[in-house]
Amino acid sequence: MNFDFVIKIAMLVLFFGIMIGVGIYCRKNATDVNGFVLGGRSVGPWLTAFAYGTSYFSAVIFIGYAGQFGWKFGIASTWIGIGNALIGSFLAWAILGRRTRIMTQHLNSATMPEFFGKRFNSNGLKIGASVITFIFLIPYTASLYNGLSRLFSKAFNIDYVWCIIAMSVLTGIYVIAGGYMATAINDFIQGIIMIFGIVAVIAAVLMNQGGFMEALNGLAKVEDPLVSSAPGAFNSFFGPDPLNLLGVVILTSLGTWGLPQMVQKFYAIKHERDIRKGMVISTAFAVIVAGGCYFLGGFGRLFGEFVETDAKGGVVFDSIIPNMLDNSHLPAILMAIVVILVLSASMSTLSSLVIASSSTLTIDLLKGTVIKKMNEKKQVLIIRIFVVVFIAISAFIAIYQVNSKNESVKFIAQLMGVSWGALAGAFLAPFLYGLYWKKTTKLACWVSFIFGAGIMLLNLFARSIFPTFLQSPINCGALAMIAGLIIVPVVSLLTPKPDKKLVEDAFACYEKQVPAKQKNSLD
């Protein structure tokens, strides 16, 4: 066993020990549903912002999206990271943060499906939303494992099955023990690792290419007639394919507004001032991590000779970033940091997804329907059981997906595109209008649910019926979100008005008088 391998193993053992230790430390905060799912609604700005950011950016971003879109768009893929920071973080906090926190507490809802059920007085909406959440969070979760497994195989020469098992078991331990608070604290630790890791990796890779300007000049010389005939397309401002680039920006940026595991972070904020601080912290985090990942991926074509191809001669996009790192000859300690970076990104997102899914199934699907009487203790127990079930199912699918011959679900980016498109396409518009517009109707929510989830299922199983541009799950998902923003108001205006008392009761929370210091509000 050489010294480099010992360093990598030692850093992994330390990382795992800290994660599990935090879970055990936070077990006292996970004794009831509010504590396990929302951390008692008392989470500060730094923990909330980092929980939001680390749930946002996972191995799907670092391995899948950065590799695929860096290859397709060159340095212009950095625009995706900028969009993630400005739209997916800054505007999401500014537009959704305060209203989500106020109305969800007023309605006493702990999940997005429960919000729909109480806001529109519809048990059917709650159940429908919980089913959509569970079904479409699974492919996203499966994609997390496979991005990690590719990097582990490069660094440790370990079979991906063992990588998946180790990650799922360790994440399950600290989530089951400490719930949301353990997840938030671990997200903060993992976020710090991600920030320092991505900066160090970018510096090392660019130095390997002779520096930033030399790397940029090398990218200008890359030609691919199948993508663009324009010279220097891959180091140009908008890249060789601005229209498809825009679709990726919309999906990955606007999509966070309708993802249950992302919006749920706003439920747990403690104070008003935490929203403003969290917005700034989250945006800065996104600029560094997302911007850095896509910026790094933009230089993928400089390592084209090392990229793997499939049986048809196509590029295996998920291999681009691992091969970049492997052939940049990183020092052992930096390679260990990279592995922990991707592990941190994956585990933080996985923990967020399993809490969102298991709490949704318990609170929204089983409670009051399948199991009529369910006290707090029993709810927490069932949520913990579903954490195990959800992790096991997604791990099984991850193993199957790597070996699958079905090219439609082969790449990480496509798995994420289907999941994000369906969830955000179904939920974004009803949730946004539900917070802001009193005329939003229950039927409009149903139409958005059916359209968003339905079009993505068609895209997955009958892709050939779509026009060429929409055969991409990314573009189809972006269309589903934008269409939802039109469908909900149109259907709401054409259907009977919602019950006036129900609406006024829901919106009364915004009119409640609260004391404020004079420096924040004039008399």
Side-chain angles (χ1 to χ4, degrees):
M1 184 180 295
N2 60 42
F3 182 68
D4 289 354
F5 190 78
V6 171
I7 290 176
K8 295 173 185 176
I9 292 295
M11 292 183 70
L12 279 178
V13 170
L14 177 62
F15 174 76
F16 290 145
I18 292 172
M19 297 298 105
I20 293 173
V22 168
I24 295 172
Y25 172 77
C26 293
R27 65 188 186 280
K28 62 181 180 293
N29 297 309
T31 56
D32 59 16
V33 173
N34 190 43
F36 190 92
V37 177
L38 300 176
R41 294 186 189 266
S42 60
V43 184
W46 283 92
L47 292 184
T48 301
F50 271 68
Y52 185 91
T54 54
S55 297
Y56 194 167
F57 309 119
S58 64
V60 176
I61 300 293
F62 188 76
I63 303 295
Y65 269 29
Q68 177 169 342
F69 299 125
W71 184 269
K72 288 184 175 181
F73 307 126
I75 200 69
S77 63
T78 309
W79 282 110
I80 305 171
I82 295 172
N84 292 172
L86 297 180
I87 302 172
S89 296
F90 183 82
L91 286 180
W93 278 76
I95 294 173
L96 298 179
R98 179 183 291 104
R99 285 197 171 232
T100 299
R101 175 64 173 80
I102 293 170
M103 187 174 282
T104 56
Q105 184 176 26
H106 176 68
L107 297 176
N108 193 28
S109 60
T111 66
M112 183 180 276
E114 191 174 25
F115 167 83
F116 287 128
K118 292 185 175 181
R119 166 67 178 83
F120 298 99
N121 191 29
S122 171
N123 194 52
L125 271 183
K126 182 179 74 170
I127 293 173
S130 66
V131 171
I132 292 171
T133 299
F134 181 70
I135 290 173
F136 287 101
L137 280 184
I138 289 178
Y140 182 22
T141 309
S143 67
L144 303 178
Y145 296 101
N146 292 329
L148 181 68
S149 67
R150 289 183 180 274
L151 199 60
F152 257 79
S153 64
K154 292 287 184 185
F156 296 96
N157 196 27
I158 299 174
D159 187 86
Y160 68 89
V161 173
W162 296 109
C163 300
I164 291 172
I165 292 172
M167 177 179 159
S168 58
V169 169
L170 290 164
T171 305
I173 289 173
Y174 78 73
V175 172
I176 291 169
Y180 183 83
M181 187 58 76
T183 298
I185 294 173
N186 277 334
D187 286 350
F188 180 76
I189 297 169
Q190 292 160 350
I192 296 294
I193 295 170
M194 290 168 68
I195 289 173
F196 284 101
I198 192 64
V199 171
V201 169
I202 290 172
V205 171
L206 291 182
M207 288 300 293
N208 179 265
Q209 294 295 312
F212 171 64
M213 292 307 299
E214 192 63 31
L216 208 58
N217 289 334
L219 203 59
K221 298 174 184 176
V222 174
E223 296 181 1
D224 187 345
L226 296 177
V227 177
S228 174
S229 58
F234 295 103
N235 78 336
S236 61
F237 197 69
F238 289 120
D241 190 359
L243 187 59
N244 277 300
L245 176 62
L246 179 62
V248 180
V249 172
I250 293 173
L251 179 82
T252 62
S253 302
L254 192 61
T256 60
W257 296 30
L259 298 180
Q261 76 275 16
M262 299 299 297
V263 173
Q264 202 164 352
K265 300 296 184 291
F266 299 134
Y267 290 30
I269 297 172
K270 187 176 184 179
H271 295 299
E272 161 71 21
R273 62 179 179 272
D274 295 342
I275 297 174
R276 295 191 294 271
K277 290 179 182 178
M279 179 170 59
V280 174
I281 297 165
S282 179
T283 303
F285 183 89
V287 168
I288 297 170
V289 175
C293 285
Y294 289 112
F295 176 77
L296 176 66
F299 294 98
R301 283 184 178 264
L302 297 181
F303 298 82
E305 61 184 298
F306 305 109
V307 173
E308 299 170 18
T309 56
D310 57 26
K312 297 180 180 179
V315 174
V316 179
F317 295 118
D318 301 345
S319 72
I320 294 173
I321 296 296
N323 278 300
M324 282 180 68
L325 301 176
D326 191 40
N327 291 284
S328 292
H329 308 294
L330 304 181
I333 190 167
L334 185 53
M335 193 62 188
I337 291 173
V338 171
V339 171
I340 294 175
L341 181 161
V342 180
L343 187 63
S344 297
S346 300
M347 291 178 69
S348 59
T349 306
L350 176 61
S351 61
S352 177
L353 293 174
V354 297
I355 286 180
S357 183
S358 57
S359 59
T360 289
L361 281 179
T362 304
I363 297 170
D364 306 321
L365 196 59
L366 297 183
K367 182 183 175 184
T369 53
V370 179
I371 304 175
K372 297 297 182 182
K373 294 183 179 180
M374 193 187 299
N375 58 31
E376 288 279 323
K377 188 175 181 180
K378 193 170 185 179
Q379 287 180 63
V380 173
L381 174 62
I382 294 175
I383 290 173
R384 285 185 163 122
I385 291 171
F386 273 123
V387 166
V388 176
V389 172
F390 187 79
I391 288 176
I393 292 173
S394 58
F396 174 80
I397 293 176
I399 295 170
Y400 168 79
Q401 184 263 344
V402 167
N403 294 305
S404 175
K405 295 181 180 179
N406 183 357
E407 295 298 325
S408 67
V409 296
K410 194 68 177 174
F411 297 121
I412 291 174
Q414 291 174 319
L415 276 177
M416 182 178 169
V418 171
S419 175
W420 276 45
L423 291 167
F427 298 149
L428 189 157
F431 187 77
L432 179 63
Y433 285 115
L435 291 175
Y436 277 90
W437 195 38
K438 293 182 178 181
K439 294 182 180 180
T440 310
T441 65
K442 178 172 65 175
L443 183 57
C445 293
W446 273 118
V447 174
S448 181
F449 285 7
I450 294 167
F451 179 83
I455 195 172
M456 293 312 297
L457 284 173
L458 277 175
N459 183 271
L460 180 62
F461 296 110
R463 188 159 295 162
S464 60
I465 69 173
F466 287 83
T468 303
F469 179 71
L470 293 180
Q471 287 183 9
S472 162
I474 310 297
N475 294 334
C476 191
L479 172 69
M481 295 177 211
I482 295 172
L485 293 172
I486 299 171
I487 288 171
V488 170
V490 169
V491 175
S492 293
L493 292 174
L494 296 176
T495 52
K497 295 180 180 179
D499 180 75
K500 186 176 181 179
K501 184 178 184 305
L502 175 70
V503 173
E504 293 302 327
D505 285 346
F507 279 78
C509 59
Y510 298 143
E511 306 304 322
K512 181 181 177 182
Q513 297 294 316
V514 294
K517 293 180 180 179
Q518 194 161 1
K519 66 179 181 180
N520 296 327
S521 179
L522 297 174
D523 287 340

